[in-house]
Amino acid sequence: MEHPKTNVTSSKLDIDALLAGSPDEFEKLVRQESARLFRIIARLIGNDIEAESVLQETYLQAFLRLHTFRRESKFTTWLYAIGINLARAQKRKLSRTVPLDDQDIERMQPAFSRGMYRDKPESWDPQKIALKNERKKLVHEAIDLLPPDYRTVLLLRDIEENNTDDVALMLEISSGAVRVRLHRARQALKKLLDPHFS
Amino acid sequence: MNPLVWISNKLMRRPSCEEVNRFLVEYVEGLLEGETRDKFEAHIKSCKCCGPYLDDYRTTIKMAKTSYDVEVPEALIDHTLEFLRVRMNDA
């Protein structure tokens, strides 16, 4: 692992060499993916120091499990799936807040009668949105209240801006399930924010 | 059946607010096309509930996007490589 940084990061990953256990390719992987993977893990856990440990553990687990990679997805998607699982487990250990559950999410979806909104949706006031100093904090806290499955989809899709199919591969669920969860998460988040912006 | 064909069939007649709400994800993702999208948008434009709801739905997405700042530690890669050097030698 003695290549200068520029050489190591600029070329494409050689997956065959990586799977054969090449230390140089593994270093290249670490240099290429760490910033993005760290952001995902840090957002899932909500703690940067813990996130660094989980990032390191993610690479170690990936290295130890290289033989289990089946080439059914991009290698990085497989790596991110390991990181996401470790981050979610760590979040469960550290979490002090009790997240909402599936029934809460169901209650937070709009209700319809004969195909029409039962209650007319309250429009948000753009001035309240613009003026709210603590807006970021409010949104952050509201996202933290979402059940882990919903929160994870929202983080990966809307915050990290991965495409739906990649999120489906990372979470080992169908793209349709990602969209359903994402929609319910967005609607629940909107409902949580309604009192602040209506 | 391809889910987009199913959505398209659902929206080909005048869609209800509930159907429009159900396919907001696909609409925001740009997956609706042609006449399906036109019918969807015609409903959104004329409906006093769905238009504002879509506006706030989009605002929710935007606010979520900017709500989580994460600063990547400068020495992250060096620390990680050092950790791996030690642990991979042990493994």
Side-chain angles (χ1 to χ4, degrees), chain A residues 11-22:
Chain A
S11 58
K12 202 179 163 207
L13 270 179
D14 179 344
I15 298 297
D16 291 328
L18 185 66
L19 295 178
S22 158

Side-chain angles (χ1 to χ4, degrees), chain A residues 145-181:
Chain A
L145 283 175
L146 297 175
D149 286 347
Y150 292 88
R151 190 169 165 272
T152 304
V153 166
L154 193 91
L155 282 168
L156 293 174
R157 186 67 186 77
D158 284 349
I159 300 176
E160 287 293 330
E161 296 185 316
N162 294 288
N163 72 47
T164 300
D165 293 340
D166 281 347
V167 174
L169 286 168
M170 285 178 204
L171 300 180
E172 296 179 329
I173 58 177
S174 68
S175 296
V178 170
R179 290 196 181 95
V180 169
R181 248 180 236 180

Side-chain angles (χ1 to χ4, degrees), chain A residues 43 52 136 144 164 183 187, chain B residues 21 29 53 57 68-69:
Chain A
R43 283 170 172 148
E52 191 164 344
K136 246 185 199 180
D144 271 350
T164 300
H183 184 47
Q187 295 202 123
Chain B
N21 177 281
E29 251 184 64
Y53 194 88
Y57 188 88
Y68 268 78
D69 292 331

